[in-house]
Amino acid sequence: MFTNKAIIYFTFEGRTMYIKDKYDIATVVKLFQSGDFVAQKTYILSACPPSSMRNQVLNYINPDRILTSLTLLADTYCRGIDCQLGITLGQTSYQLSQKAFETTSAKIHRLKDTNKAIEHTKELQDLEDWLALIRNNAANSAVSCAVGFQSLGQHRKSIKFVTKAIQWLKAKEYYRAVEWFKSHGYNDAIDTTLTLTLKMIESYIELAKYDKAIALIDQTNWNPLFTEECFEAYLVERQIIQALIQKLMERIQQSIILPPESIKDKEAIITFHEQILNTVKSIGESFYPEDLALFQIIEIELKQKIIDVPESISIAEWGKRMQSTMDRITDFISGGGKEFNQLQNQKRIRNATAIFLDSKTGHNPEGINQSVPILIQARDWAREHNFREDENDALWSLYLCYSRTQQEAQAIEVLQALRKNLEEMRQSISHPMKRAGILRKFPNLFGDLCQLLCRSNRAIELLDAIEGAKGRVLADVLTEKLNQPTSEKELSEPSQQIPFLMQEVNAHYLSYFVDDEATYAVLVTKDGSLHTQEIVIGKKQIQEWLDYKKIEDHDPLDPRNWGKTISKRQQKNVINLSESLAPLVSWLEPLATSGIIQQNDHICYCPDEELHLIPLHYLPFRGKPLVNYVSLSRIQGALALVNILKRESLKPNEFTVVQVWANEDVCQDDSEKKQQESKIMIAAFNQPGEWLNEQLTGEIVSETNADLPTVAKLNLSQRIVHFANHGDFPSLMEQEHSKKNPYLNSGLLLAKNGQLPPSSKISDEAGLLSPQQVLKKKLDFRGSHVTLQACVSGRAKEGIGGDALGLEWAFLLNGASSSLASHWNVHAAWAAKFSIKFYQKWLVEKASRAVAWRETVLELMGESAQPYYWAAFSLSGDWR
């Protein structure tokens, strides 16, 4: 084996196998069929992340234990360490078990066909024993694969694989393996096909295919799990079944608390009633037939409280009326309520928080104080029995109790505990989308926590919470690159270093968190002190200011539109964003007066939500744009800041230019005016490349040659990378367009099939360098500065993981040190002028990037007072 940074490889059959081969099932199967134990051990050592199981397998791997070893490894890695590797190992073991089964079966048949079969009784018995072990190994490896698929959120793949595995096991008389183990003293041996069936049920529930889940519960014979001989197995599987029932219960409970939108829709209500009834009945008949009398009561109550519900009833009142029925359902599916279990604990939490269904009781201190000890008891029970989601529900309910009784310290404590739990849960999940979705259940967590911390003046904790609320996609990218989960703790912990770091670099760090009604900000100054502010501008207000339908005429991000009339009838004009958003920076003015922030200082800021769309440098500060007082740069968060400042700041001496204009830029008109406009436009695309070519060495890829495959092969590291293209980004104003994900549907327009792209809009005729393509093709921008001389190239939009998804984000993730990008549809000639002035000051006059950027902005401001021309470009990343 040979290791070099991220590259790990080994030799097998005379060829070099790289780490990418570790997920190739056909290659791994061939390796473990080969008998080359040196290569097999090398593979395990190189491909498998460190674990105690890996060490055990390496110590005793031999020909007789290959299958068992692979299955043990598969089970270990399918549970969160590296699920894709676990699936590869599991499917390798599964396929090898199938082949071993066929080989062994053939030997048995040959022996039985000979006249001397009696002489081979011992050999036959050994082969039959080995066949039982092979069947069992195939079953266990199939379970590991199912766990891995589910951990990755690949539930359809899990169902498809498990269905085939169960068919194979039954066809190969898997029951004989169970009988063999019991005959050898393993009385708790269970039918693993039932475990696989449970995995299918879980996947159906995750896919919201409840009818199929219930049908499987109903059709399956569970009796083998409920025998005295396999009592331990019964307990284990009973827990699994209860967990599945609980998931169905959650769906029922959510539907009861949040019924169909129109309570007047009788048809929808009757359907809803039947769904609940059928679900509860199926569960009861399968598992608790002795309690069916209770089901009759539930059936009557559901009819009274769902079908016969008054049309005028409110959702809150309806929820309260359903409380007793919910309790009966819980008792019914948890064994009649005879023993305290998870469902009973959930019932305790639900009843303790029922006070919040009514606005009066929900703010009554006496009732709230009675609920607190019950919720503490429920939280502690859930924690002791490792029901993390139930513990989280209890914590959130406790937070509501404490916040409504003005017990801020206790409220902060339980929110921090909830946040810690969620971070740990995320860390154990491999699938990025499922991991990012963990926080969806508590959408107000970070907003409420930031509000409490800000009002309590707990500045360092507020900074930590703000940083933890952002950067989750960054964590997921790190997860993918490192093959191990990265928690928000690793993202927010650098916030502890920021006060010391800013003193070292003599700059300020400003971080924002935008909540629905307010924005929370923390400034870490160059002297290491922290300052906080709650700003009464929230997400709802900003989105209202940005909500204009006709983007061409009324895009509020474009300063030229400020003051334009949208509706004469309503006397509505496009808002002046710089004036409206001034409070975001005006709170810093007293710090300037006191000398904490000084003229010509630098502020590195981390935006949030829609603030990614807006340049801070044009906001008014002490009567003038902020850029008149300080230089500014943007960053993705504290982790990105720490990583960038750890690197040495270098000025590249090479360049790569990609310049692609559009079909429409090439004039087909005989008009002299049009011809002249076309020349000016194309010259603007060419000028920065020509300037760089005079100063540095490098390459220019232009026009129809600049397609996506060509760009993907360019040298993009340790240099100036300049893109002169048209750009596109999903609009916030157009309803259909706004649904597009900027990760997939934003970027730079490139040539395609030897043709120039159409102007300014993504289409099938254009190649697209999107954030997805930057990351997918692993474009290496390490140590480079990237300029995006393109429209809307600096825009970003928050995604599910809390990061701002956009092209600039992707470049920085792939190692770029800094970037220049635009906030609106820029004027081509002014964009070229900005780029050249910046390069002149930074590369030739030896100014820092921050100084070069600010002086360029101020010079252009002197040429035009209109912010459209001078405020378009923001600097991101390293400002040194």
Side-chain angles (χ1 to χ4, degrees):
M1 183 193 59
F2 203 104
T3 306
N4 179 15
K5 293 185 179 178
I7 302 172
I8 304 174
Y9 52 91
F10 57 95
T11 301
F12 172 55
E13 292 190 341
R15 76 179 185 91
T16 301
M17 295 179 65
Y18 292 87
I19 196 64
K20 64 182 180 181
D21 295 314
K22 78 176 186 177
Y23 297 122
D24 186 83
I25 295 171
T27 301
V28 179
V29 167
K30 189 175 181 182
L31 171 66
F32 283 95
Q33 275 183 312
S34 68
D36 187 342
F37 293 106
V38 173
Q40 291 169 6
K41 286 187 175 183
T42 304
Y43 170 84
I44 292 171
L45 190 60
S46 62
C48 299
S51 70
S52 57
M53 184 55 66
R54 185 188 76 168
N55 296 337
Q56 290 180 38
V57 166
L58 286 170
N59 286 335
Y60 68 64
I61 189 170
N62 62 50
D64 296 331
R65 292 176 171 172
I66 285 292
L67 294 178
T68 306
S69 298
L70 286 172
T71 301
L72 290 172
L73 284 171
D75 185 67
T76 298
Y77 295 110
C78 277
R79 297 184 185 276
I81 298 176
D82 185 342
C83 294
Q84 194 61 54
L85 176 63
I87 291 169
T88 301
L89 294 170
Q91 293 212 24
T92 298
S93 180
Y94 180 72
Q95 289 184 25
L96 291 178
S97 295
Q98 289 179 316
K99 291 178 181 179
F101 183 91
E102 299 304 329
T103 302
T104 306
S105 295
K107 287 182 180 179
I108 291 172
H109 287 306
R110 283 197 299 271
L111 277 175
K112 286 182 176 180
D113 287 342
T114 65
N115 295 326
K116 298 182 178 179
I118 296 175
E119 298 176 12
H120 297 282
T121 301
K122 178 66 170 63
E123 186 177 351
L124 274 172
Q125 187 59 54
D126 288 345
L127 288 172
E128 291 284 2
D129 291 350
W130 178 233
L131 209 58
L133 293 171
I134 291 171
R135 288 186 181 104
N136 193 59
N137 196 76
N140 290 335
S141 58
V143 171
S144 295
C145 289
V147 170
F149 282 127
Q150 289 183 338
S151 296
L152 291 173
Q154 297 173 354
H155 295 289
R156 289 181 177 83
K157 285 186 178 180
S158 182
I159 291 168
K160 184 177 180 181
F161 174 79
V162 168
T163 301
K164 290 182 177 179
I166 290 175
Q167 290 171 351
W168 187 86
L169 288 166
K170 288 184 176 180
K172 304 305 179 183
E173 301 178 315
Y174 172 68
Y175 69 90
R176 291 182 180 274
V178 181
E179 292 174 353
W180 184 89
F181 276 98
K182 287 185 176 180
S183 69
H184 285 72
Y186 298 97
N187 293 327
D188 59 348
I190 62 172
D191 185 347
T192 307
T193 60
L194 294 177
T195 305
L196 288 168
T197 303
L198 287 166
K199 290 297 172 191
M200 287 181 69
I201 294 168
E202 266 192 306
S203 289
Y204 278 130
I205 291 172
E206 290 295 336
L207 293 171
K209 295 184 177 181
Y210 309 121
D211 54 340
K212 292 189 176 181
I214 293 167
L216 263 181
I217 290 175
D218 192 40
Q219 295 165 8
T220 304
N221 177 18
W222 303 101
N223 289 332
L225 298 181
F226 303 146
T227 60
E228 292 182 9
E229 289 79 10
C230 60
F231 183 69
E232 291 299 324
Y234 157 78
L235 290 179
V236 173
E237 299 304 326
R238 180 83 168 191
Q239 287 175 356
I240 296 173
I241 293 167
Q242 290 235 336
L244 297 176
I245 293 172
Q246 170 54 24
K247 288 190 176 183
L248 286 169
M249 261 301 291
E250 286 176 4
R251 305 297 183 185
I252 296 168
Q253 184 176 346
Q254 288 168 7
S255 299
I256 289 175
I257 293 173
L258 299 172
E261 290 184 9
S262 173
I263 292 180
K264 296 178 183 179
D265 186 346
K266 285 289 183 183
E267 186 176 339
I269 291 172
I270 291 170
T271 302
F272 172 60
H273 161 260
E274 290 175 351
Q275 287 174 345
I276 293 176
L277 218 54
N278 290 337
T279 301
V280 175
K281 188 174 182 181
S282 295
I283 294 170
E285 289 176 343
S286 297
F287 301 111
Y288 312 113
E290 70 276 10
D291 296 318
L292 285 180
L294 182 58
F295 175 77
Q296 305 300 325
I297 300 173
I298 292 171
E299 188 172 19
I300 294 169
E301 286 197 5
L302 284 174
K303 180 179 183 299
Q304 291 174 343
K305 295 180 180 178
I306 294 180
I307 295 181
D308 299 334
V309 61
E311 293 185 358
S312 59
I313 194 171
S314 68
I315 289 178
E317 182 61 29
W318 195 64
K320 285 195 294 181
R321 288 181 56 167
M322 286 301 301
Q323 196 69 29
S324 61
T325 304
M326 281 296 300
D327 290 347
R328 291 189 191 279
I329 292 174
T330 300
D331 291 343
F332 176 62
I333 65 174
S334 64
K338 299 181 182 67
E339 61 180 58
F340 196 85
N341 53 31
Q342 183 193 12
L343 294 175
Q344 291 295 323
N345 195 48
Q346 289 174 336
K347 171 183 167 183
R348 182 160 62 179
I349 296 170
R350 188 170 62 246
N351 289 337
T353 54
I355 55 172
F356 297 119
L357 289 172
D358 187 285
S359 59
K360 292 181 179 178
T361 60
H363 289 86
N364 182 347
E366 184 178 347
I368 291 173
N369 289 333
Q370 289 175 0
S371 292
V372 168
I374 299 172
L375 289 168
I376 290 175
Q377 201 175 17
R379 176 202 64 189
D380 293 345
W381 190 93
R383 182 180 295 164
E384 180 184 350
H385 292 81
N386 200 31
F387 292 115
R388 187 61 66 87
E389 292 185 5
D390 298 342
E391 180 189 348
N392 292 343
D393 289 339
L395 285 168
W396 181 255
S397 299
L398 278 170
Y399 157 68
L400 293 176
C401 291
Y402 290 137
S403 66
R404 294 190 182 188
T405 52
Q406 288 74 53
Q407 300 180 70
E408 291 189 353
Q410 291 90 333
I412 290 172
E413 181 184 350
V414 294
L415 284 183
Q416 294 284 38
L418 174 57
R419 177 188 166 196
K420 181 174 180 289
N421 278 358
L422 293 172
E423 288 171 353
E424 290 175 356
M425 290 170 68
R426 274 179 48 83
Q427 192 174 5
S428 66
I429 298 172
S430 295
H431 187 257
M433 294 303 289
K434 192 171 182 181
R435 191 163 55 246
I438 282 288
L439 293 171
R440 281 179 169 177
K441 189 174 181 180
F442 303 99
N444 299 320
L445 168 61
F446 281 102
D448 291 4
L449 180 57
C450 286
Q451 182 186 68
L452 287 170
L453 292 171
C454 188
R455 293 179 179 178
S456 302
N457 199 29
R458 293 163 67 162
I460 193 67
E461 291 176 78
L462 175 59
L463 179 62
D464 180 77
I466 287 176
E467 294 300 326
K470 299 181 281 192
R472 291 188 288 276
V473 170
L474 176 57
D476 296 338
V477 171
L478 293 174
T479 295
E480 185 177 346
K481 288 184 176 180
L482 300 175
N483 286 323
Q484 61 184 33
T486 302
S487 70
E488 279 89 347
K489 185 178 180 183
E490 293 175 68
L491 295 171
S492 60
E493 272 189 348
S495 62
Q496 310 289 324
Q497 305 172 36
I498 294 296
F500 306 102
L501 193 59
M502 301 323 290
Q503 292 180 72
E504 289 179 12
V505 296
N506 196 38
H508 310 279
Y509 178 63
L510 177 59
S511 192
Y512 292 99
F513 175 82
V514 180
D515 199 18
D516 285 345
E517 305 295 341
T519 294
Y520 301 95
V522 176
L523 177 74
V524 183
T525 66
K526 63 183 182 181
D527 65 7
S529 61
L530 277 76
H531 306 266
T532 65
Q533 184 72 18
E534 180 177 346
I535 303 159
V536 191
I537 297 175
K539 185 191 306 183
K540 292 179 181 177
Q541 179 64 80
I542 298 173
Q543 288 178 342
E544 181 183 329
W545 289 337
L546 296 175
D547 186 23
Y548 300 107
K549 306 303 178 196
K550 295 181 181 178
I551 183 172
E552 296 86 357
D553 299 329
H554 298 133
D555 179 4
L557 294 171
D558 185 339
R560 296 174 300 176
N561 292 327
W562 296 344
K564 278 187 178 181
T565 301
I566 303 170
S567 170
K568 290 182 179 180
R569 184 174 59 84
Q570 297 178 350
Q571 295 184 336
K572 188 175 182 181
N573 296 333
V574 178
I575 202 80
N576 184 321
L577 282 179
S578 68
E579 292 178 359
S580 301
L581 294 171
L584 292 172
V585 298
S586 62
W587 71 275
L588 301 172
E589 290 181 0
L591 299 177
T593 302
S594 66
I596 294 175
I597 300 176
Q598 298 176 322
Q599 181 79 37
N600 302 325
D601 275 357
H602 182 77
I603 295 177
C604 174
Y605 72 95
C606 178
D608 185 39
E609 293 279 355
E610 276 71 22
L611 297 189
H612 287 283
L613 299 167
I614 298 157
L616 283 195
H617 55 270
Y618 70 16
L619 302 186
F621 183 82
R622 308 183 90 183
K624 294 181 179 180
L626 181 59
V627 69
N628 284 84
Y629 198 76
V630 294
S631 59
L632 296 103
S633 62
R634 304 192 299 174
I635 198 73
Q636 288 292 313
L639 177 64
L641 177 60
V642 170
N643 286 339
I644 279 179
L645 293 179
K646 282 179 180 177
R647 307 174 198 160
E648 186 180 358
S649 182
L650 301 172
K651 286 185 173 67
N653 54 20
E654 294 182 289
F655 72 88
T656 296
V657 171
V658 177
Q659 51 192 37
V660 187
W661 42 89
N663 269 320
E664 294 87 338
D665 298 327
V666 181
C667 185
Q668 307 296 328
D669 198 314
D670 292 335
S671 161
E672 185 176 339
K673 182 181 177 182
K674 294 288 185 182
Q675 292 282 353
Q676 186 62 26
E677 288 175 355
S678 176
K679 288 179 181 178
I680 293 172
M681 174 69 76
I682 293 175
F685 279 89
N686 284 328
Q687 284 164 3
E690 292 171 353
W691 187 93
L692 287 168
N693 198 38
E694 291 175 3
Q695 304 294 328
L696 309 173
T697 59
E699 61 180 326
I700 298 176
V701 180
S702 188
E703 301 182 67
T704 56
N705 293 323
D707 55 17
L708 186 57
T710 301
V711 171
K713 295 175 183 176
L714 294 175
N715 189 343
L716 302 170
S717 64
Q718 305 296 331
R719 58 191 52 230
I720 303 291
V721 180
H722 187 98
F723 289 97
N725 307 65
H726 286 282
D728 194 22
F729 190 86
S731 167
L732 294 179
M733 282 62 76
E734 295 178 281
Q735 289 298 317
E736 291 305 313
H737 198 40
S738 65
K739 295 176 183 177
K740 293 181 179 177
N741 184 345
Y743 180 66
L744 306 172
N745 298 288
S746 71
L748 303 176
L749 304 185
L750 300 172
K752 186 176 180 181
N753 299 327
Q755 300 293 321
L756 292 173
S759 176
S760 299
K761 292 293 177 185
I762 296 171
S763 69
D764 292 337
E765 290 77 39
L768 179 67
L769 184 60
S770 64
Q772 181 199 37
Q773 291 296 337
V774 171
L775 296 176
K776 181 180 178 181
K777 295 186 179 300
K778 300 180 180 178
L779 303 188
D780 184 4
F781 290 93
R782 282 176 299 173
S784 288
H785 166 85
V786 183
T787 295
L788 304 175
Q789 182 192 331
C791 296
V792 297
S793 55
R795 288 189 181 182
K797 190 178 187 180
E798 183 165 305
I800 186 174
D803 290 82
L805 304 182
L807 192 59
E808 189 177 40
W809 166 88
F811 289 139
L812 293 170
L813 275 181
N814 275 21
S817 295
S818 59
S819 69
L820 280 176
S822 65
H823 293 274
W824 45 75
N825 291 324
V826 292
H827 189 285
W830 282 73
K833 186 188 297 187
F834 192 106
S835 302
I836 293 170
K837 281 181 177 289
F838 173 78
Y839 290 146
Q840 173 68 29
K841 295 176 187 300
W842 177 35
L843 300 174
V844 178
E845 298 173 19
K846 308 300 183 185
S848 68
R849 277 172 269 214
V851 170
W853 170 84
R854 181 172 176 237
E855 288 184 355
T856 299
V857 171
L858 294 176
E859 284 186 18
L860 294 182
M861 190 189 297
E863 296 181 32
S864 173
Q866 169 57 261
Y868 167 76
Y869 294 103
W870 57 261
F873 285 89
S874 282
L875 174 68
S876 294
D878 196 346
W879 66 87
R880 296 172 295 173

